[in-house]
Amino acid sequence: DQASQMQAKHRAIAFVAIVCFLTLLFLSLGRDTPDEGRTKKTNTARPDKIGPNQRNNKLPRLPPVNRTTKPETTQPKKRKLIFSINSGHSGSTALAVYLDRLNGFTGFHETLRTFSLKKIATEGYSATYEERAEILIPTILAQLERPPFADNPDEIYVETTQEFSKAMYDVILDYFHKEHGDKYEVIIVNLRRQYSCIVRSLYATVDRVRLWREPQSSDPSLIMGNEYNVLQPHVSHLPRLPEAQKDPIDAIIGFVLDHEAAIADIHSKYPDVKMVNVRIEELRYLDNFKDFLRDLGITEFSKKLFGGWDKSFWGNVLTREVNVHIRHTHKKDPFVAQITDRIQQFIDCYKENGLKVPRFPAVNITYKGIPRSHWHEVVPCEQ
């Protein structure tokens, strides 16, 4: 009996062992074999995501990072600075006014601190360079640190003072163009107006300009304000020719034409500075004004640029501003016609003496860019 009990116990143990073995074998086979009637899920939405059966797969090795390569840096945008060469009485106030009306432009007219033209005429540009630089450069930099320039790096600075070509150009161009051309883009606007109108307008001021009342004097102590004659050796850009200065009108003509010589001299000293030529009479018309803005580098003419004003309103603004600040020449005005003849005589006198003079594009009474149908709209020029 005892032996039979032991055999039964051994058989039970063996049975349990066999059952356990088969159970484990079935479970191990069931992990890799999907049940009938069920489909295995695949990751179609995120193919780059690692699925449950991909965890042991090796990921592709990323290329090594070249830590010696410097990251690409974007070049900072240059601040645009616009200055004007003009003789005065030529529309510089109007130019500053309606450039200032544009979004993105801030216009000034004769706000820079002035320097004595009499001192330059006496001592020369080189001797007064440092003193002029100590006045002009900090003034402009301080202005650029104030709103709207401090808040907007794209805001364009405009200064239309007539003193630029008389007492400022060398200091400003040396600092902002030559030394700091990586930060600033300087543009010079050569602003012209019909010469006869300028001479007529300046003739009304002859009583306070002694050098025009004494046209053949070269004494710099006679200089008052910003007016001079072309006999001043340190200020004038035209060659000295006393016989061309017969009376006050000749002195004023020489003063006006000297700005064309200034344009030529400045261009020869700074040939890579961008210069834009414009006649104030042209800017009465919106299409001409847009052409002028294109020359300044403006390519998009959106409502934001024009302050939300439509085309007709902006055209009226241009016409009104120019008519307020500038009067236009009428070819039938006898005094203007006389001045035009005197201007040609002045130029001929230089040529007869073998002296080289620049081109004078504002002598002609008509002006390029204005439709012929609008010529009748101009009115006689006034003071």
Side-chain angles (χ1 to χ4, degrees), residues 173-363:
L173 293 180
D174 285 345
Y175 182 86
F176 290 102
H177 177 70
K178 284 188 174 181
E179 299 178 18
H180 299 280
D182 57 329
K183 299 179 181 179
Y184 303 97
E185 179 187 358
V186 180
I187 300 176
I188 298 176
V189 175
N190 300 326
L191 179 63
R192 296 183 175 93
R193 178 192 177 194
Q194 174 67 32
Y195 293 146
S196 300
C197 273
I198 301 176
V199 173
R200 178 173 181 171
S201 181
L202 289 172
Y203 188 72
T205 68
V206 72
D207 291 338
R208 66 176 179 83
V209 184
R210 190 173 175 183
L211 272 176
W212 291 347
R213 300 198 307 271
E214 301 179 20
Q216 294 190 335
S217 174
S218 60
D219 184 1
S221 64
L222 301 181
I223 293 179
M224 295 181 62
N226 298 312
E227 289 77 18
Y228 57 90
N229 63 21
V230 293
L231 301 183
Q232 301 300 317
H234 294 303
V235 177
S236 175
H237 297 268
L238 280 174
R240 300 182 63 185
L241 187 62
E243 52 264 42
Q245 306 263 20
K246 301 181 182 65
D247 57 23
I249 292 182
D250 285 333
I252 297 173
I253 290 173
F255 171 75
V256 173
L257 299 186
D258 191 62
H259 286 78
E260 295 294 343
I263 292 172
D265 285 351
I266 294 173
H267 181 65
S268 65
K269 294 176 183 177
Y270 304 90
D272 52 343
V273 174
K274 183 176 181 178
M275 286 191 170
V276 175
N277 298 302
V278 69
R279 290 282 295 268
I280 191 64
E281 299 96 329
E282 291 182 271
L283 301 186
R284 294 182 63 206
Y285 303 97
L286 183 59
D287 290 340
N288 295 338
F289 187 73
K290 286 183 176 180
D291 289 339
F292 171 61
L293 292 180
R294 289 187 184 96
D295 292 338
L296 298 181
I298 306 301
T299 57
E300 296 184 5
F301 302 100
S302 62
K303 287 187 176 181
K304 181 179 179 181
L305 174 67
F306 290 100
W309 298 339
D310 58 22
K311 180 177 179 180
S312 61
F313 183 79
W314 178 252
N316 292 335
V317 169
L318 279 180
T319 303
R320 183 174 66 252
E321 293 294 345
V322 175
N323 284 339
V324 167
H325 295 283
I326 292 296
R327 297 299 181 183
H328 303 280
T329 306
H330 195 281
K331 59 184 178 181
K332 294 183 179 180
D333 189 324
F335 186 69
V336 170
Q338 178 187 357
I339 294 175
T340 302
D341 293 339
R342 292 287 298 271
I343 291 174
Q344 193 59 53
Q345 293 173 13
F346 186 94
I347 296 173
D348 292 340
C349 185
Y350 268 77
K351 293 180 178 180
E352 290 169 0
N353 283 270
L355 297 176
K356 185 179 180 181
V357 294
R359 292 178 60 252
F360 299 110
V363 173

Side-chain angles (χ1 to χ4, degrees), residues 136-154:
L136 290 171
I137 301 304
T139 302
I140 298 175
L141 292 177
Q143 185 65 61
L144 295 177
E145 292 176 356
R146 304 188 189 104
F149 304 104
D151 305 329
N152 182 9
D154 296 329

